[in-house]
mmCIF file of all heavy atoms in Angstrom:
data_model
loop_
_atom_site.group_PDB
_atom_site.id
_atom_site.type_symbol
_atom_site.label_atom_id
_atom_site.label_comp_id
_atom_site.label_asym_id
_atom_site.label_seq_id
_atom_site.Cartn_x
_atom_site.Cartn_y
_atom_site.Cartn_z
ATOM 1 N N TYR A 37 -36.341 12.334 -40.837
ATOM 2 C CA TYR A 37 -35.221 11.895 -40.029
ATOM 3 C C TYR A 37 -35.236 10.377 -39.959
ATOM 4 O O TYR A 37 -36.235 9.735 -40.279
ATOM 5 C CB TYR A 37 -35.313 12.452 -38.607
ATOM 6 C CG TYR A 37 -35.100 13.946 -38.474
ATOM 7 C CD1 TYR A 37 -36.108 14.845 -38.790
ATOM 8 C CD2 TYR A 37 -33.895 14.445 -37.992
ATOM 9 C CE1 TYR A 37 -35.922 16.207 -38.648
ATOM 10 C CE2 TYR A 37 -33.701 15.806 -37.840
ATOM 11 C CZ TYR A 37 -34.715 16.683 -38.167
ATOM 12 O OH TYR A 37 -34.533 18.032 -38.015
ATOM 13 N N ARG A 38 -34.128 9.823 -39.507
ATOM 14 C CA ARG A 38 -34.093 8.398 -39.252
ATOM 15 C C ARG A 38 -33.197 8.112 -38.057
ATOM 16 O O ARG A 38 -32.291 8.873 -37.745
ATOM 17 C CB ARG A 38 -33.612 7.609 -40.470
ATOM 18 C CG ARG A 38 -32.162 7.842 -40.861
ATOM 19 C CD ARG A 38 -31.845 7.121 -42.156
ATOM 20 N NE ARG A 38 -30.458 7.323 -42.578
ATOM 21 C CZ ARG A 38 -29.973 6.935 -43.745
ATOM 22 N NH1 ARG A 38 -30.762 6.315 -44.617
ATOM 23 N NH2 ARG A 38 -28.695 7.158 -44.046
ATOM 24 N N GLN A 39 -33.472 7.003 -37.406
ATOM 25 C CA GLN A 39 -32.695 6.596 -36.257
ATOM 26 C C GLN A 39 -32.528 5.088 -36.278
ATOM 27 O O GLN A 39 -33.507 4.345 -36.207
ATOM 28 C CB GLN A 39 -33.361 7.036 -34.955
ATOM 29 C CG GLN A 39 -32.523 6.779 -33.717
ATOM 30 C CD GLN A 39 -33.070 7.486 -32.489
ATOM 31 O OE1 GLN A 39 -34.257 7.798 -32.424
ATOM 32 N NE2 GLN A 39 -32.209 7.748 -31.530
ATOM 33 N N ALA A 40 -31.294 4.659 -36.395
ATOM 34 C CA ALA A 40 -30.970 3.244 -36.357
ATOM 35 C C ALA A 40 -30.742 2.824 -34.912
ATOM 36 O O ALA A 40 -30.419 3.655 -34.051
ATOM 37 C CB ALA A 40 -29.735 2.957 -37.204
ATOM 38 N N PRO A 41 -30.886 1.533 -34.607
ATOM 39 C CA PRO A 41 -30.667 1.062 -33.240
ATOM 40 C C PRO A 41 -29.287 1.445 -32.725
ATOM 41 O O PRO A 41 -28.278 1.215 -33.395
ATOM 42 C CB PRO A 41 -30.815 -0.455 -33.362
ATOM 43 C CG PRO A 41 -31.707 -0.649 -34.548
ATOM 44 C CD PRO A 41 -31.321 0.438 -35.499
ATOM 45 N N GLY A 42 -29.248 2.044 -31.550
ATOM 46 C CA GLY A 42 -27.992 2.443 -30.952
ATOM 47 C C GLY A 42 -27.359 3.675 -31.549
ATOM 48 O O GLY A 42 -26.249 4.044 -31.144
ATOM 49 N N LYS A 43 -28.026 4.304 -32.491
ATOM 50 C CA LYS A 43 -27.494 5.490 -33.152
ATOM 51 C C LYS A 43 -28.346 6.708 -32.830
ATOM 52 O O LYS A 43 -29.495 6.599 -32.404
ATOM 53 C CB LYS A 43 -27.435 5.284 -34.666
ATOM 54 C CG LYS A 43 -26.663 4.060 -35.115
ATOM 55 C CD LYS A 43 -25.189 4.174 -34.794
ATOM 56 C CE LYS A 43 -24.423 2.978 -35.334
ATOM 57 N NZ LYS A 43 -22.971 3.076 -35.027
ATOM 58 N N GLU A 44 -27.768 7.864 -33.039
ATOM 59 C CA GLU A 44 -28.504 9.097 -32.844
ATOM 60 C C GLU A 44 -29.380 9.376 -34.057
ATOM 61 O O GLU A 44 -29.116 8.918 -35.171
ATOM 62 C CB GLU A 44 -27.550 10.265 -32.598
ATOM 63 C CG GLU A 44 -26.626 10.568 -33.753
ATOM 64 C CD GLU A 44 -25.625 11.663 -33.427
ATOM 65 O OE1 GLU A 44 -25.580 12.097 -32.266
ATOM 66 O OE2 GLU A 44 -24.894 12.090 -34.343
ATOM 67 N N ARG A 45 -30.430 10.130 -33.823
ATOM 68 C CA ARG A 45 -31.319 10.485 -34.907
ATOM 69 C C ARG A 45 -30.624 11.457 -35.858
ATOM 70 O O ARG A 45 -29.968 12.400 -35.423
ATOM 71 C CB ARG A 45 -32.597 11.107 -34.355
ATOM 72 C CG ARG A 45 -33.689 11.306 -35.387
ATOM 73 C CD ARG A 45 -35.014 11.705 -34.726
ATOM 74 N NE ARG A 45 -35.505 10.662 -33.830
ATOM 75 C CZ ARG A 45 -36.684 10.691 -33.224
ATOM 76 N NH1 ARG A 45 -37.502 11.721 -33.418
ATOM 77 N NH2 ARG A 45 -37.048 9.710 -32.415
ATOM 78 N N GLU A 46 -30.770 11.232 -37.151
ATOM 79 C CA GLU A 46 -30.115 12.064 -38.135
ATOM 80 C C GLU A 46 -31.102 12.547 -39.186
ATOM 81 O O GLU A 46 -32.079 11.871 -39.505
ATOM 82 C CB GLU A 46 -28.969 11.304 -38.813
ATOM 83 C CG GLU A 46 -29.408 10.088 -39.606
ATOM 84 C CD GLU A 46 -28.254 9.374 -40.278
ATOM 85 O OE1 GLU A 46 -27.103 9.826 -40.131
ATOM 86 O OE2 GLU A 46 -28.499 8.350 -40.962
ATOM 87 N N MET A 47 -30.822 13.718 -39.718
ATOM 88 C CA MET A 47 -31.638 14.275 -40.768
ATOM 89 C C MET A 47 -31.337 13.573 -42.082
ATOM 90 O O MET A 47 -30.181 13.335 -42.413
ATOM 91 C CB MET A 47 -31.390 15.773 -40.897
ATOM 92 C CG MET A 47 -32.293 16.485 -41.893
ATOM 93 S SD MET A 47 -31.908 18.259 -42.017
ATOM 94 C CE MET A 47 -32.319 18.798 -40.354
ATOM 95 N N VAL A 48 -32.376 13.254 -42.820
ATOM 96 C CA VAL A 48 -32.230 12.565 -44.091
ATOM 97 C C VAL A 48 -32.504 13.504 -45.256
ATOM 98 O O VAL A 48 -31.708 13.603 -46.190
ATOM 99 C CB VAL A 48 -33.163 11.339 -44.164
ATOM 100 C CG1 VAL A 48 -33.067 10.672 -45.539
ATOM 101 C CG2 VAL A 48 -32.826 10.353 -43.059
ATOM 102 N N ALA A 49 -33.635 14.168 -45.222
ATOM 103 C CA ALA A 49 -34.032 15.054 -46.305
ATOM 104 C C ALA A 49 -35.025 16.069 -45.781
ATOM 105 O O ALA A 49 -35.775 15.794 -44.839
ATOM 106 C CB ALA A 49 -34.648 14.263 -47.472
ATOM 107 N N ALA A 50 -35.037 17.239 -46.382
ATOM 108 C CA ALA A 50 -35.942 18.301 -45.977
ATOM 109 C C ALA A 50 -36.465 19.020 -47.203
ATOM 110 O O ALA A 50 -35.803 19.064 -48.248
ATOM 111 C CB ALA A 50 -35.244 19.290 -45.046
ATOM 112 N N ILE A 51 -37.639 19.596 -47.056
ATOM 113 C CA ILE A 51 -38.234 20.356 -48.144
ATOM 114 C C ILE A 51 -38.971 21.551 -47.563
ATOM 115 O O ILE A 51 -39.714 21.439 -46.590
ATOM 116 C CB ILE A 51 -39.162 19.472 -49.005
ATOM 117 C CG1 ILE A 51 -39.686 20.255 -50.209
ATOM 118 C CG2 ILE A 51 -40.298 18.891 -48.175
ATOM 119 C CD1 ILE A 51 -40.339 19.369 -51.256
ATOM 120 N N THR A 52 -38.739 22.714 -48.149
ATOM 121 C CA THR A 52 -39.383 23.934 -47.688
ATOM 122 C C THR A 52 -40.759 24.070 -48.314
ATOM 123 O O THR A 52 -41.147 23.319 -49.211
ATOM 124 C CB THR A 52 -38.544 25.167 -48.032
ATOM 125 O OG1 THR A 52 -38.527 25.353 -49.456
ATOM 126 C CG2 THR A 52 -37.117 25.013 -47.527
ATOM 127 N N LEU A 53 -41.496 25.059 -47.831
ATOM 128 C CA LEU A 53 -42.825 25.312 -48.381
ATOM 129 C C LEU A 53 -42.748 25.623 -49.868
ATOM 130 O O LEU A 53 -43.647 25.255 -50.630
ATOM 131 C CB LEU A 53 -43.493 26.467 -47.632
ATOM 132 C CG LEU A 53 -44.958 26.749 -47.970
ATOM 133 C CD1 LEU A 53 -45.827 25.560 -47.600
ATOM 134 C CD2 LEU A 53 -45.420 28.005 -47.243
ATOM 135 N N GLY A 54 -41.685 26.288 -50.281
ATOM 136 C CA GLY A 54 -41.509 26.635 -51.675
ATOM 137 C C GLY A 54 -40.942 25.534 -52.536
ATOM 138 O O GLY A 54 -40.790 25.714 -53.749
ATOM 139 N N GLY A 55 -40.595 24.400 -51.927
ATOM 140 C CA GLY A 55 -40.117 23.271 -52.694
ATOM 141 C C GLY A 55 -38.610 23.104 -52.752
ATOM 142 O O GLY A 55 -38.124 22.206 -53.449
ATOM 143 N N ASN A 56 -37.863 23.944 -52.057
ATOM 144 C CA ASN A 56 -36.421 23.742 -51.996
ATOM 145 C C ASN A 56 -36.111 22.516 -51.156
ATOM 146 O O ASN A 56 -36.735 22.288 -50.119
ATOM 147 C CB ASN A 56 -35.727 24.965 -51.410
ATOM 148 C CG ASN A 56 -35.847 26.176 -52.304
ATOM 149 O OD1 ASN A 56 -35.784 26.067 -53.529
ATOM 150 N ND2 ASN A 56 -36.008 27.349 -51.709
ATOM 151 N N THR A 57 -35.143 21.735 -51.589
ATOM 152 C CA THR A 57 -34.842 20.473 -50.925
ATOM 153 C C THR A 57 -33.406 20.414 -50.436
ATOM 154 O O THR A 57 -32.527 21.112 -50.945
ATOM 155 C CB THR A 57 -35.101 19.281 -51.856
ATOM 156 O OG1 THR A 57 -34.286 19.406 -53.029
ATOM 157 C CG2 THR A 57 -36.564 19.222 -52.267
ATOM 158 N N TRP A 58 -33.198 19.564 -49.455
ATOM 159 C CA TRP A 58 -31.879 19.281 -48.917
ATOM 160 C C TRP A 58 -31.813 17.787 -48.637
ATOM 161 O O TRP A 58 -32.779 17.196 -48.167
ATOM 162 C CB TRP A 58 -31.629 20.067 -47.627
ATOM 163 C CG TRP A 58 -30.318 19.732 -46.976
ATOM 164 C CD1 TRP A 58 -29.121 20.336 -47.178
ATOM 165 C CD2 TRP A 58 -30.079 18.681 -46.027
ATOM 166 N NE1 TRP A 58 -28.140 19.740 -46.411
ATOM 167 C CE2 TRP A 58 -28.705 18.719 -45.691
ATOM 168 C CE3 TRP A 58 -30.890 17.720 -45.416
ATOM 169 C CZ2 TRP A 58 -28.135 17.832 -44.789
ATOM 170 C CZ3 TRP A 58 -30.323 16.828 -44.514
ATOM 171 C CH2 TRP A 58 -28.964 16.900 -44.212
ATOM 172 N N TYR A 59 -30.650 17.200 -48.926
ATOM 173 C CA TYR A 59 -30.441 15.783 -48.676
ATOM 174 C C TYR A 59 -29.124 15.554 -47.964
ATOM 175 O O TYR A 59 -28.123 16.217 -48.254
ATOM 176 C CB TYR A 59 -30.416 14.985 -49.985
ATOM 177 C CG TYR A 59 -31.696 15.043 -50.779
ATOM 178 C CD1 TYR A 59 -31.879 15.992 -51.776
ATOM 179 C CD2 TYR A 59 -32.720 14.145 -50.530
ATOM 180 C CE1 TYR A 59 -33.049 16.043 -52.503
ATOM 181 C CE2 TYR A 59 -33.896 14.185 -51.254
ATOM 182 C CZ TYR A 59 -34.056 15.134 -52.236
ATOM 183 O OH TYR A 59 -35.222 15.180 -52.965
ATOM 184 N N ASP A 60 -29.133 14.609 -47.074
ATOM 185 C CA ASP A 60 -27.885 14.152 -46.507
ATOM 186 C C ASP A 60 -27.057 13.480 -47.602
ATOM 187 O O ASP A 60 -27.611 12.848 -48.518
ATOM 188 C CB ASP A 60 -28.137 13.167 -45.364
ATOM 189 C CG ASP A 60 -26.860 12.752 -44.670
ATOM 190 O OD1 ASP A 60 -26.347 13.527 -43.852
ATOM 191 O OD2 ASP A 60 -26.382 11.631 -44.961
ATOM 192 N N ASP A 61 -25.749 13.616 -47.512
ATOM 193 C CA ASP A 61 -24.886 13.050 -48.538
ATOM 194 C C ASP A 61 -25.091 11.543 -48.717
ATOM 195 O O ASP A 61 -24.906 11.013 -49.814
ATOM 196 C CB ASP A 61 -23.417 13.323 -48.205
ATOM 197 C CG ASP A 61 -23.024 14.770 -48.431
ATOM 198 O OD1 ASP A 61 -23.741 15.488 -49.157
ATOM 199 O OD2 ASP A 61 -21.990 15.192 -47.881
ATOM 200 N N SER A 62 -25.471 10.875 -47.658
ATOM 201 C CA SER A 62 -25.614 9.435 -47.716
ATOM 202 C C SER A 62 -26.777 8.975 -48.587
ATOM 203 O O SER A 62 -26.824 7.808 -48.980
ATOM 204 C CB SER A 62 -25.777 8.857 -46.306
ATOM 205 O OG SER A 62 -26.988 9.284 -45.712
ATOM 206 N N VAL A 63 -27.705 9.876 -48.890
ATOM 207 C CA VAL A 63 -28.884 9.486 -49.664
ATOM 208 C C VAL A 63 -29.022 10.253 -50.971
ATOM 209 O O VAL A 63 -29.953 9.981 -51.738
ATOM 210 C CB VAL A 63 -30.177 9.649 -48.836
ATOM 211 C CG1 VAL A 63 -30.073 8.876 -47.530
ATOM 212 C CG2 VAL A 63 -30.482 11.115 -48.573
ATOM 213 N N LYS A 64 -28.123 11.167 -51.238
ATOM 214 C CA LYS A 64 -28.199 11.941 -52.472
ATOM 215 C C LYS A 64 -28.162 11.022 -53.690
ATOM 216 O O LYS A 64 -27.355 10.106 -53.769
ATOM 217 C CB LYS A 64 -27.051 12.947 -52.551
ATOM 218 C CG LYS A 64 -27.220 14.161 -51.660
ATOM 219 C CD LYS A 64 -26.070 15.141 -51.837
ATOM 220 C CE LYS A 64 -26.255 16.372 -50.975
ATOM 221 N NZ LYS A 64 -25.119 17.319 -51.098
ATOM 222 N N GLY A 65 -29.041 11.295 -54.621
ATOM 223 C CA GLY A 65 -29.124 10.489 -55.826
ATOM 224 C C GLY A 65 -29.972 9.249 -55.685
ATOM 225 O O GLY A 65 -30.272 8.602 -56.692
ATOM 226 N N ARG A 66 -30.343 8.900 -54.467
ATOM 227 C CA ARG A 66 -31.155 7.712 -54.232
ATOM 228 C C ARG A 66 -32.542 8.047 -53.691
ATOM 229 O O ARG A 66 -33.510 7.364 -54.022
ATOM 230 C CB ARG A 66 -30.451 6.767 -53.259
ATOM 231 C CG ARG A 66 -29.094 6.278 -53.748
ATOM 232 C CD ARG A 66 -28.533 5.193 -52.836
ATOM 233 N NE ARG A 66 -28.291 5.676 -51.478
ATOM 234 C CZ ARG A 66 -28.890 5.199 -50.389
ATOM 235 N NH1 ARG A 66 -29.770 4.205 -50.491
ATOM 236 N NH2 ARG A 66 -28.601 5.685 -49.191
ATOM 237 N N PHE A 67 -32.620 9.062 -52.844
ATOM 238 C CA PHE A 67 -33.880 9.444 -52.213
ATOM 239 C C PHE A 67 -34.394 10.736 -52.830
ATOM 240 O O PHE A 67 -33.612 11.611 -53.222
ATOM 241 C CB PHE A 67 -33.699 9.661 -50.711
ATOM 242 C CG PHE A 67 -33.420 8.422 -49.908
ATOM 243 C CD1 PHE A 67 -33.130 7.204 -50.514
ATOM 244 C CD2 PHE A 67 -33.448 8.478 -48.526
ATOM 245 C CE1 PHE A 67 -32.863 6.065 -49.771
ATOM 246 C CE2 PHE A 67 -33.186 7.352 -47.765
ATOM 247 C CZ PHE A 67 -32.888 6.144 -48.391
ATOM 248 N N THR A 68 -35.697 10.868 -52.882
ATOM 249 C CA THR A 68 -36.335 12.080 -53.362
ATOM 250 C C THR A 68 -37.455 12.473 -52.412
ATOM 251 O O THR A 68 -38.345 11.667 -52.138
ATOM 252 C CB THR A 68 -36.905 11.900 -54.774
ATOM 253 O OG1 THR A 68 -35.867 11.511 -55.675
ATOM 254 C CG2 THR A 68 -37.516 13.211 -55.266
ATOM 255 N N ILE A 69 -37.402 13.697 -51.930
ATOM 256 C CA ILE A 69 -38.448 14.206 -51.054
ATOM 257 C C ILE A 69 -39.363 15.120 -51.862
ATOM 258 O O ILE A 69 -38.911 15.867 -52.729
ATOM 259 C CB ILE A 69 -37.854 14.941 -49.833
ATOM 260 C CG1 ILE A 69 -38.949 15.284 -48.816
ATOM 261 C CG2 ILE A 69 -37.090 16.190 -50.256
ATOM 262 C CD1 ILE A 69 -38.399 15.815 -47.496
#
Side-chain angles (χ1 to χ4, degrees):
Y37 291 78
R38 67 186 180 188
Q39 187 168 24
K43 305 294 184 180
E44 63 184 6
R45 190 170 298 186
E46 63 179 0
M47 185 181 296
V48 176
I51 185 167
T52 68
L53 187 63
N56 294 322
T57 59
W58 176 91
Y59 298 93
D60 185 79
D61 287 341
S62 66
V63 305
K64 284 182 178 178
R66 300 188 297 118
F67 291 10
T68 302
I69 189 171

